[in-house]
Amino acid sequence: MTLPNYAFFRGKIVPYSEAKVGVMTHALNYGTAIFGGVRGYWNEAEEELFIFRPHDHFQRLLNSARMMLMDIPFTREQLTELSIELLQKEGHRQDVYMRPMAYFADEIIGVKLHDLKTEVTIFSVPFDKYVSNDTGAHVTFSSWRRVDDNMIPARAKVAGAYVNTAFVKTDAVRAGFDEALVLGQDGHISEGSAENIFMVRNGALITPPVTDNILEGITRASILELAEKEVGIPVVQRSIDRTEVYIADEMFMTGTAAQVTAITKVDHRPVGDGQMGPVTAKLRKLYDDAVRGRLPKYRDWNYPVFEKMVVK
Ligand code: PMP
């Protein structure tokens, strides 16, 4: 993967090679970091890079920080401005993935959350697809269970909790699948390894509620809004049983990285007729138009990077 040229690190933008931490760093030893994943989309016609819903992403980061007793000395608006400055300096003219992170920076021994120093860093890299087979993914049910909210906050993006994700993803890929569906402790489907999940059944779009140990996805929120307002399909947030997916008409996963990935097979069983369904196809198109700034009604989701070029 191409390395970034710059990073926001210890309060300023520095060459990426200078953004280094010591091996005793608390977050490296105990997983005590929180992070975000934000995409920037290049719009060729406007020659502009649009960050997708940065305020919502940064609000979630601040919420994660709150749960972890981290002090982030920036507002979501300031974090957006910092990101714009960083992306201007990188000068990307292509789709990018941006990673804001807050971590406990103390170089000490001791597992805890209190009385520690928080540092914030942001970097970005060019980025294309995350799930390569995003028009017809074959998924399995993971033998792993999703991290429960009473173990590590499921609605926070805590670095340490992503060991759970890593087990899920590696076992699925090594078994020949594109992705996996992860059950919670109670046996209901929580989400994918790093995606929220949706199914279409009997004319309704259904997704697990925020109380089923999911990460409260920004893509999920965008899809719920687009489905209701633009596709006109009823949306329902309720728990999903394992065997419901075997008789679902359509399924897809959503995430900043995965975008809208159609699921056409679960454990060798076709979903619906085994092809991407019409609701999924419509939502994929709407989402792609929305993120690239092509839907005037949703332009407030798109933050231009180069419009307010700061010459420094
Ligand atoms: N669940 C998990 C565990 C994730 O890591 C992600 C990716 N951030 C998502 C769901 C999707 O969230 P979003 O749409 O905000 O990227």
Side-chain angles (χ1 to χ4, degrees):
M1 182 166 247
T2 319
L3 292 178
N5 293 309
Y6 299 98
F8 177 78
F9 184 70
R10 293 187 183 147
K12 57 181 197 291
I13 295 176
V14 299
Y16 179 71
S17 57
E18 291 175 21
K20 295 248 161 64
V21 297
V23 292
M24 255 183 93
T25 301
H26 200 272
L28 184 61
N29 285 261
Y30 305 121
T32 50
I34 53 150
F35 63 99
V38 190
R39 270 194 190 253
Y41 287 91
W42 179 248
N43 179 319
E44 186 61 44
E46 295 185 42
E47 294 201 49
E48 182 57 274
L49 183 66
F50 289 114
I51 312 177
F52 188 62
R53 302 189 72 166
H55 284 180
D56 299 299
H57 277 283
F58 286 123
Q59 188 57 56
R60 186 173 67 195
L61 189 82
L62 294 173
N63 292 350
S64 293
R66 229 175 130 148
M67 287 180 251
M68 291 282 285
L69 303 183
M70 288 181 167
D71 288 320
I72 296 188
F74 303 109
T75 62
R76 61 188 199 169
E77 288 77 14
Q78 287 169 327
L79 289 164
T80 301
E81 284 308 311
L82 284 173
S83 308
I84 288 175
E85 206 182 311
L86 181 75
L87 289 172
Q88 285 182 355
K89 203 152 162 112
E90 286 280 4
H92 302 291
R93 291 171 66 88
Q94 59 188 306
D95 293 353
V96 298
Y97 188 83
M98 195 169 65
R99 162 67 33 90
M101 182 164 42
Y103 61 96
F104 283 135
D106 304 65
E107 295 177 277
I108 56 150
I109 303 293
V111 190
K112 59 175 188 171
L113 297 177
H114 62 285
D115 299 335
L116 294 169
K117 181 175 170 14
T118 308
E119 286 282 359
V120 175
T121 182
I122 313 176
F123 60 84
S124 71
V125 283
F127 205 66
D128 191 18
K129 277 187 188 178
Y130 179 68
V131 180
S132 51
N133 190 10
D134 65 352
T135 55
H138 185 188
V139 306
T140 185
F141 280 99
S142 182
S143 62
W144 297 95
R145 295 289 169 118
R146 164 80 173 146
V147 162
D148 187 273
D149 200 43
N150 295 303
M151 299 172 179
I152 298 178
R155 75 195 68 250
K157 274 181 85 79
V158 180
Y162 277 74
V163 173
N164 179 238
T165 303
F167 274 114
V168 168
K169 182 78 182 193
T170 289
D171 285 359
V173 169
R174 285 188 164 184
F177 296 95
D178 297 302
E179 257 293 342
L181 304 175
V182 193
L183 306 176
Q185 298 297 328
D186 67 353
H188 289 126
I189 299 174
S190 172
E191 51 182 13
S193 74
E195 304 87 6
N196 294 115
I197 68 122
F198 287 81
M199 71 173 179
V200 177
R201 256 197 94 186
N202 304 327
L205 183 66
I206 304 164
T207 194
V210 294
T211 43
D212 273 1
N213 299 305
I214 67 166
L215 183 80
E216 300 176 7
I218 313 291
T219 320
R220 174 183 179 275
S222 310
I223 289 298
L224 285 172
E225 191 168 341
L226 291 170
E228 204 158 31
K229 294 192 183 146
E230 308 305 320
V231 180
I233 182 171
V235 300
V236 182
Q237 299 185 45
R238 66 152 174 86
S239 295
I240 297 181
D241 274 347
R242 177 174 191 147
T243 54
E244 280 191 286
V245 308
Y246 294 154
I247 51 171
D249 301 315
E250 296 184 36
M251 279 198 81
F252 61 87
M253 299 185 289
T254 64
T256 298
Q259 304 177 105
V260 182
T261 291
I263 298 175
T264 52
K265 244 198 271 180
V266 181
D267 282 336
H268 303 275
R269 296 154 169 89
V271 176
D273 63 4
Q275 303 291 320
M276 187 197 314
V279 175
T280 310
K282 256 187 225 160
L283 286 167
R284 271 174 67 90
K285 168 86 172 76
L286 278 164
Y287 184 72
D288 191 55
D289 283 341
V291 294
R292 289 184 196 281
R294 293 194 296 250
L295 295 184
K297 203 167 140 189
Y298 296 90
R299 273 296 267 221
D300 61 348
W301 285 352
N302 314 114
Y303 279 65
V305 166
F306 297 115
E307 187 184 272
K308 289 183 278 167
M309 192 74 191
V310 190
V311 183
K312 282 205 170 169

